[in-house]
Amino acid sequence: MAGLFNNLLVLFFVFQNICLGFRSPLSVFKRYKDTSRSFSSECLGSDQPVVSLGLSDFALDIRMPGVTPKQSDTYLCMSVPLPVDDEAYVVDFKPHASMDTVHHMLLFGCNEPSSTENYWDCDEGTCKDKSNILYAWARNAPPTRLPKGVGFRVGGETGGRFFVLQVHYGDISAFRDKHKDCSGVTLHLTHQKQPLIAGMYLMMSVNTVIPPGEKVVDADIACHYKRFPMHLFAYRVHTHRLGKVVSGYRVRNGQWTLIGRQSPQLPQAFYPVEHPVDVSYDDTLAARCVFSGEGRTTETHIGGTANDEMCNFYIMYYMEAKHAVSYMTCTQNANPELFRNIPQEANIPIQIMSDMLKMTHGHHEETKDSDKSSLLQQAKKEEEEILEQSNFYSLLSKLLGEREDVVHVYKHNPTEKAESDLVAEIANVVQKKDLAREITNHEERDSTNLVRDRIQSEHDFHIEEAVEWPGLDLKLGQISGLALDAENNLVIFHRGDHVWDENSFDNTFVYQQRGLGPIEQSTILVLHPSNAKLLRSLGKSLFYLPHGLSIDKNGNYWVTDVALHQVFKLGPDKKEPLLTLGVALQPGSDKNHFCQPTDVAVDPNTGSIYVSDGYCNSRIIQFSPNGLYVMQWGEETSLGRAKPGQFHIPHSLALIPDFSQLCVADRENGRIQCFRLETGEFIREIKHKSFGRELFAVSYVPGLLFAVNGMPYPGEAEPVQGFVMNFSTGEIIDTFIPLRKSFEMPHDVVASEDETVFVGDVHARAVWKFASTEKLEHRSVKKAGIEVQDIKESGTIVEGRLKNNPESTDPIKKQEKQHLVQQHTSTGISFVLITTLLIIPVVVLLAILLFIRWRKTAVYGGDGEHKLDSSSGRILGRVRGKGSGGLNLGNFFASHKSYSRKGFDRVSTEGSDQEKDEDEGTDSEEECSAPQTPPAPSSS
């Protein structure tokens, strides 16, 4: 009955709208009234339509609101809000555009469009936040069909709440009549949950250069796939005029499987994948674009203008809803050698008819000359817009607005890491001109991580045990957790007189030693990081078997207890917990129970709580800041090789706020897995042979990961040790072991930004402190009471001084900077001062000698030469180096009245220790005194 009523209602509206002559393709349905946008009467004739298609389905018409582009290569954007708050799924697209007016269209999903205007120039941006490509159309393409049960997820808590349509108007000759354009797309949406979620995988070349006249130029793209399985169902190719053929493949065990191959000069639709192709973990996705530079007189680069080129291979895929990722990119060639075996078909152009080529480009004969003229007029402007293409980094840096902290991910890992952390960043680039136009006005991030990563990648980093640290001798229980507070004080979580042994739990993980009662000692100790002095303690009579520890930005302690199966939040000065998660002494695997939870981490930006659960569950659980369950991910490791998202004791957590990631030490699988904080999606795995079979703990500081492994199994050689890794690449840049005692079972590791590292061992019941060798060398010099600063720029010792306090706490870098400034200033002043002091006496001496010679000549006349030699022979002789002693400035200046001898005695140019003052009893000598008898020669 309801179906009959709906059919009658549809017929009624059809009849009504035919009479009214509405031009909207969906005008047969009622309009959505709660919208503020209005459209040109030439387009829809009414408000933006949302059309009901039944109880759970509806259609949304997204159209340009009657626009007239003013010049070629114009990109215009407009946004439409999702008309419902609940989660919905896009299951079909119907384009409304013609190649005569539109070059291509892209549809994005996001939460905040770049503008609130009816439409805007896309140079302002497409979305302010992260965006995903949902749909692409170009050149008279047929509509894209999604398989049954597959949809793009929008709305709700995780999906975008706005659609943004971007339309590229290539040639505007069709707008000579000043008509208004209403190109767009109609979406079919449903509220019914789809078991399979669609996504877009974009492969693109960003550094291709096509030499002029070159017949064949290959642009190759390849990335290793490191996520859950995805199933490919459609593809689209995209280049500009020089592209001949674009091909995409899955490579597995050396076998190439074709995803799709097409001429980019044909309608650039999403074509169905002819034969089902699935992509699994560790497969390789590869694509090649073939260009020809014939007819060009200059190099052609990747860009967004008519004279530039592009190489894009889009893949539509679907994944299981619980593992779904909405958007992924590949912008590199991870394995150039791979393309030696690419099928020959990838380099065979697909022939198309000349009239088809003309129509496909949307350029008719009568407009060809005007197009050429228009391009020539814009040549100067386009030349200025061409990006520096000499290497990948300069191009991507330009595209991302000089975001060097993003670029360095590629620079230090030319293989697979690049795409995982840059999906959102690349998505923002895609918003602008299909990855071709320069993006500007981006704020630059702090480049500290970039500099740090560069340093670490050069293998000039090494840490060793700080043997002077007394904390190794502390009397503690089993040490399970370590953390550093805001003052970099070391916080230790230990088990006091309780131990975890084979009698602690039964086979259902219920704690068997409740009769012991809680630990009576303080289980949380705060120590000074330099001298291990106890600053404060807490945690008496609260815990049975402590395990994980972390500290949030407000100084609260977050701990786990594997016996209680609970997580606690403790204030720094509070005796009772501020928040408790889980049910005491009751293991479980639902939303309200844990089973031996191992660690906890708190997002400093959102306050979200993440718990690794644990020894008998294999999952990560997210809670809201006030402790409400949000979501979880993870599963037990299956037989054979551990897959992404599978755990065998998720043992330790490291939160990476800079990249919105959570890294997990997957203990018994001997690896680190990193996930997206917002969704729990798998990003990457870090696994090295030197880890051995077990990896116990992981810690993060900007640019670096620190980890500790477990004891090797019998017959295995990997030693128990600590690791320092470059976060961007996962590369091990250093390992470390203690000098005093030995690691037995290092259970936790924590590091500070000044590269101080602490390791707690649950069996040895000890805490080691490690520091960089540079810091240790500095500290060893200070320990003797002398501080020497070596400024590398000059290669000289700037300052050496006795320190009253060898425990100076001034940062080394700050002192170096201050000393460097002082050195430059004092060096200049000292040089001028010393030079002046040396020159002045010489000038004065010469003046006096000349004056004496003139005076004697005037007094004695012709006899003066003899008298001068007689009376002043001693002085002149000494000046010429012929006297028995050196020039004694004290005696010389003392011969003049009113000049004190103090400070000048025995200052001799000869340095003789036999020279004595001629007259110890007087302050002056007569100017014309007779020469004295030379002293006897020294016996030595």
Side-chain angles (χ1 to χ4, degrees):
M1 188 68 183
L4 178 61
F5 176 79
N6 286 337
N7 290 334
L8 291 174
L9 184 64
V10 169
L11 290 174
F12 171 76
F13 279 120
V14 168
F15 178 78
Q16 181 186 32
N17 289 334
I18 289 175
C19 295
L20 294 176
F22 285 162
R23 296 174 59 188
S24 167
L26 293 177
S27 58
V28 295
F29 299 104
K30 64 180 180 179
R31 303 304 185 193
Y32 182 67
K33 302 299 182 182
D34 301 329
T35 177
S36 59
R37 295 187 182 274
S38 61
F39 290 78
S40 167
S41 59
E42 294 187 30
C43 295
L44 297 175
S46 67
D47 288 344
Q48 167 192 320
V50 174
V51 181
S52 174
L53 300 178
L55 295 178
S56 60
D57 291 19
F58 62 97
L60 178 62
D61 213 28
I62 304 174
R63 302 286 197 103
M64 276 291 163
V67 300
T68 303
K70 300 296 191 294
Q71 62 182 20
S72 296
D73 280 331
T74 294
Y75 288 76
L76 297 180
C77 291
M78 59 88 64
S79 67
V80 173
L82 184 66
V84 294
D85 295 328
D86 299 335
E87 189 172 75
Y89 301 85
V90 180
V91 295
D92 199 8
F93 305 88
K94 184 178 181 180
H96 307 288
S98 168
M99 69 178 183
D100 292 328
T101 54
V102 174
H103 179 271
H104 75 258
M105 298 188 300
L106 291 176
L107 184 68
F108 299 90
C110 64
N111 284 312
E112 188 177 4
S114 292
S115 175
T116 58
E117 300 295 326
N118 269 5
Y119 71 95
W120 65 91
D121 191 318
C122 296
D123 279 339
E124 300 176 22
T126 305
C127 295
K128 293 182 179 179
D129 62 333
K130 298 177 183 178
S131 64
N132 300 323
I133 294 180
L134 302 178
Y135 178 73
W137 173 93
R139 298 176 182 170
N140 283 358
T144 298
R145 301 293 183 188
L146 299 182
K148 185 176 181 180
V150 175
F152 283 95
R153 184 162 46 200
V154 295
E157 296 182 357
T158 58
R161 297 184 178 278
F162 279 86
F163 297 103
V164 177
L165 176 68
Q166 178 199 90
V167 179
H168 175 199
Y169 298 97
D171 171 32
I172 63 166
S173 59
F175 289 91
R176 290 171 180 169
D177 59 357
K178 306 298 182 183
H179 77 273
K180 298 183 182 299
D181 181 65
C182 310
S183 298
V185 60
T186 298
L187 308 183
H188 181 174
L189 298 99
T190 180
H191 288 293
Q192 293 182 355
K193 284 189 175 296
Q194 301 297 296
L196 303 171
I197 303 301
M200 188 79 70
Y201 193 109
L202 171 59
M203 305 185 72
M204 58 185 178
S205 174
V206 295
N207 60 353
T208 297
V209 178
I210 305 170
E214 191 77 21
K215 289 186 178 181
V216 178
V217 177
D218 296 334
D220 295 334
I221 316 157
C223 286
H224 299 298
Y225 186 73
K226 296 292 185 180
R227 293 187 172 88
F228 288 97
M230 65 176 178
H231 306 272
L232 316 184
F233 64 90
Y235 71 95
R236 173 193 175 229
V237 302
H238 179 74
T239 72
H240 291 172
R241 295 175 182 273
L242 301 186
K244 300 302 180 184
V245 61
V246 181
S247 308
Y249 297 88
R250 181 203 68 191
V251 185
R252 177 184 294 170
N253 299 325
Q255 298 296 316
W256 293 68
T257 301
L258 180 67
I259 298 170
R261 174 175 171 267
Q262 190 57 275
S263 168
Q265 307 307 325
L266 291 173
Q268 295 187 5
F270 272 97
Y271 293 90
V273 175
E274 291 188 13
H275 304 285
V277 178
D278 65 281
V279 180
S280 300
Y281 185 85
D282 236 10
D283 286 344
T284 297
L285 289 168
R288 167 172 284 181
C289 300
V290 178
F291 298 97
S292 173
E294 292 181 304
R296 292 289 173 97
T297 58
T298 59
E299 287 186 342
T300 304
H301 300 269
I302 297 298
T305 67
N307 279 345
D308 295 325
E309 262 304 334
M310 300 182 70
C311 171
N312 293 355
F313 187 76
Y314 295 85
I315 304 172
M316 269 193 183
Y317 62 86
Y318 62 83
M319 305 173 72
E320 292 184 20
K322 63 180 179 179
H323 301 312
V325 181
S326 59
Y327 184 61
M328 293 181 275
T329 61
C330 174
T331 62
Q332 57 191 336
N333 186 357
N335 187 1
E337 296 296 320
L338 180 74
F339 286 88
R340 292 185 176 183
N341 300 315
I342 191 171
Q344 293 183 357
E345 64 184 3
N347 279 78
I348 300 176
I350 295 177
Q351 299 296 325
I352 57 176
M353 301 296 292
S354 59
D355 55 344
M356 175 66 75
L357 177 63
K358 216 179 330 181
M359 290 181 62
T360 300
H361 282 288
H363 297 294
H364 302 281
E365 289 294 333
E366 62 267 25
T367 63
K368 185 175 181 180
D369 293 338
S370 62
D371 289 341
K372 185 175 181 180
S373 175
S374 175
L375 290 175
L376 290 174
Q377 291 174 3
Q378 297 183 27
K380 184 176 181 180
K381 177 181 178 182
E382 292 173 352
E383 184 176 354
E384 294 173 353
E385 290 179 353
I386 292 178
L387 305 179
E388 172 58 45
Q389 307 287 329
S390 59
N391 57 61
F392 175 87
Y393 319 118
S394 62
L395 170 63
L396 192 61
S397 181
K398 273 287 187 184
L399 289 174
L400 296 180
E402 304 300 337
R403 297 282 293 276
E404 287 190 329
D405 57 330
V406 174
V407 176
H408 81 271
V409 175
Y410 292 82
K411 183 167 292 189
H412 297 307
N413 180 19
T415 56
E416 62 200 40
K417 172 63 180 73
E419 70 177 81
S420 64
D421 284 333
L422 293 179
V423 170
E425 303 294 344
I426 300 298
N428 290 332
V429 178
V430 176
Q431 297 169 11
K432 285 299 195 73
K433 314 301 174 63
D434 207 9
L435 282 174
R437 296 275 293 268
E438 179 179 359
I439 293 180
T440 58
N441 299 325
H442 279 258
E443 294 182 359
E444 293 185 5
R445 291 182 182 171
D446 190 346
S447 62
T448 302
N449 294 356
L450 173 65
V451 176
R452 188 188 301 273
D453 273 359
R454 285 175 176 167
I455 292 173
Q456 313 314 339
S457 67
E458 293 171 2
H459 302 276
D460 59 355
F461 177 86
H462 183 60
I463 63 172
E464 291 182 356
E465 183 187 351
V467 294
E468 78 278 4
W469 192 67
L472 190 65
D473 300 322
L474 294 173
K475 303 301 181 183
L476 301 169
Q478 290 182 333
I479 297 167
S480 61
L482 300 177
L484 295 173
D485 63 18
E487 289 76 35
N488 272 341
N489 295 318
L490 175 65
V491 183
I492 299 174
F493 196 31
H494 74 117
R495 295 173 184 159
D497 57 1
H498 285 203
V499 294
W500 187 353
D501 57 25
E502 65 277 5
N503 299 315
S504 298
F505 297 90
D506 64 13
N507 57 4
T508 62
F509 309 107
V510 175
Y511 186 57
Q512 298 297 296
Q513 297 172 334
R514 284 173 284 181
L516 297 176
I519 301 168
E520 296 180 356
Q521 299 95 340
S522 294
T523 53
I524 299 176
L525 308 176
V526 183
L527 307 180
H528 192 283
S530 297
N531 54 29
K533 178 182 178 181
L534 180 64
L535 303 178
R536 60 182 175 274
S537 62
L538 64 154
K540 288 184 178 181
S541 301
L542 286 177
F543 307 112
Y544 286 79
L545 281 181
H547 199 274
L549 166 70
S550 67
I551 301 175
D552 64 23
K553 66 178 182 179
N554 297 318
N556 298 307
Y557 303 120
W558 293 80
V559 298
T560 69
D561 189 309
V562 291
L564 290 171
H565 306 287
Q566 287 181 301
V567 177
F568 301 91
K569 174 185 178 182
L570 299 171
D573 302 313
K574 303 292 184 181
K575 294 184 178 180
E576 297 298 325
L578 302 176
L579 178 68
T580 302
L581 302 175
V583 181
L585 299 169
Q586 293 184 15
S589 57
D590 57 23
K591 297 179 180 180
N592 301 314
H593 291 79
F594 302 108
C595 192
Q596 296 177 346
T598 54
D599 204 3
V600 59
V602 180
D603 188 338
N605 299 318
T606 65
S608 295
I609 307 161
Y610 297 87
V611 178
S612 50
D613 180 40
Y615 281 92
C616 36
N617 287 328
S618 298
R619 60 179 179 173
I620 307 297
I621 311 177
Q622 179 187 352
F623 296 89
S624 67
N626 57 358
L628 297 178
Y629 175 90
V630 175
M631 67 171 182
Q632 69 180 47
W633 70 88
E635 59 186 27
E636 290 185 29
T637 299
S638 55
L639 295 177
R641 179 176 177 179
K643 298 177 181 179
Q646 294 183 338
F647 299 111
H648 193 178
I649 307 181
H651 195 257
S652 171
L653 301 177
L655 198 141
I656 324 296
D658 301 338
F659 296 94
S660 295
Q661 294 183 26
L662 183 72
C663 292
V664 184
D666 187 7
R667 195 180 99 172
E668 299 301 306
N669 285 324
R671 63 180 179 174
I672 298 170
Q673 295 191 76
C674 296
F675 303 87
R676 188 75 60 191
L677 279 176
E678 299 86 353
T679 62
E681 70 176 89
F682 174 80
I683 295 176
R684 64 165 174 164
E685 170 192 276
I686 301 174
K687 185 177 177 67
H688 297 281
K689 182 180 179 181
S690 55
F691 285 173
R693 294 199 189 184
E694 298 177 335
L695 192 80
F696 271 73
V698 62
S699 179
Y700 170 80
V701 297
L704 297 173
L705 281 176
F706 296 82
V708 289
N709 66 349
M711 292 293 290
Y713 282 46
E716 296 181 349
E718 289 78 11
V720 57
Q721 59 188 330
F723 303 88
V724 187
M725 289 162 282
N726 183 304
F727 174 76
S728 296
T729 66
E731 173 191 13
I732 295 176
I733 59 177
D734 191 27
T735 59
F736 56 94
I737 58 174
L739 301 175
R740 300 177 295 167
K741 295 187 178 181
S742 297
F743 285 150
E744 295 180 28
M745 185 184 281
H747 198 261
D748 202 4
V749 60
V750 65
S752 64
E753 291 195 26
D754 67 352
E755 297 162 357
T756 298
V757 183
F758 294 92
V759 176
D761 193 305
V762 72
H763 281 181
R765 303 190 181 194
V767 179
W768 287 269
K769 178 180 179 180
F770 299 84
S772 65
T773 52
E774 178 183 356
K775 180 180 291 188
L776 289 173
E777 289 170 1
H778 177 76
R779 196 174 288 140
S780 65
V781 174
K782 289 177 65 177
K783 190 173 181 181
I786 300 175
E787 179 180 344
V788 178
Q789 294 292 339
D790 185 6
I791 302 300
K792 295 180 181 179
E793 286 82 351
S794 63
T796 60
I797 294 178
V798 175
E799 182 180 0
R801 65 174 184 237
L802 190 65
K803 295 285 286 183
N804 293 327
N805 179 15
E807 293 291 333
S808 172
T809 59
D810 291 338
I812 297 174
K813 292 182 179 180
K814 185 176 180 181
Q815 292 179 7
E816 288 180 350
K817 186 175 180 180
Q818 292 173 346
H819 290 171
L820 181 60
V821 174
Q822 293 172 1
Q823 182 200 31
H824 286 303
T825 305
S826 61
T827 301
I829 295 175
S830 299
F831 177 80
V832 174
L833 182 60
I834 293 172
T835 303
T836 303
L837 290 175
L838 289 175
I839 291 176
I840 289 176
V842 174
V843 173
V844 172
L845 177 61
L846 292 175
I848 292 173
L849 292 175
L850 290 173
F851 174 78
I852 293 173
R853 183 179 180 86
W854 169 80
R855 184 173 180 180
K856 292 298 182 181
T857 302
V859 173
Y860 297 106
D863 207 27
E865 184 70 31
H866 172 77
K867 294 291 183 181
L868 180 61
D869 290 342
S870 175
S871 63
S872 61
R874 173 169 55 93
I875 297 175
L876 292 176
R878 289 179 182 176
V879 170
R880 297 181 182 130
K882 295 180 180 179
S884 60
L887 173 62
N888 191 312
L889 297 178
N891 287 339
F892 173 75
F893 284 108
S895 65
H896 300 277
K897 291 182 179 181
S898 74
Y899 204 100
S900 171
R901 292 175 46 177
K902 294 180 179 179
F904 286 91
D905 292 346
R906 301 188 183 279
V907 180
S908 171
T909 58
E910 298 289 337
S912 172
D913 59 355
Q914 296 181 5
E915 180 179 319
K916 298 181 180 179
D917 295 331
E918 283 83 4
D919 186 359
E920 295 290 339
T922 62
D923 290 336
S924 63
E925 287 184 347
E926 290 294 325
E927 185 176 286
C928 299
S929 59
Q932 299 179 1
T933 305
S938 171
S939 60
S940 60

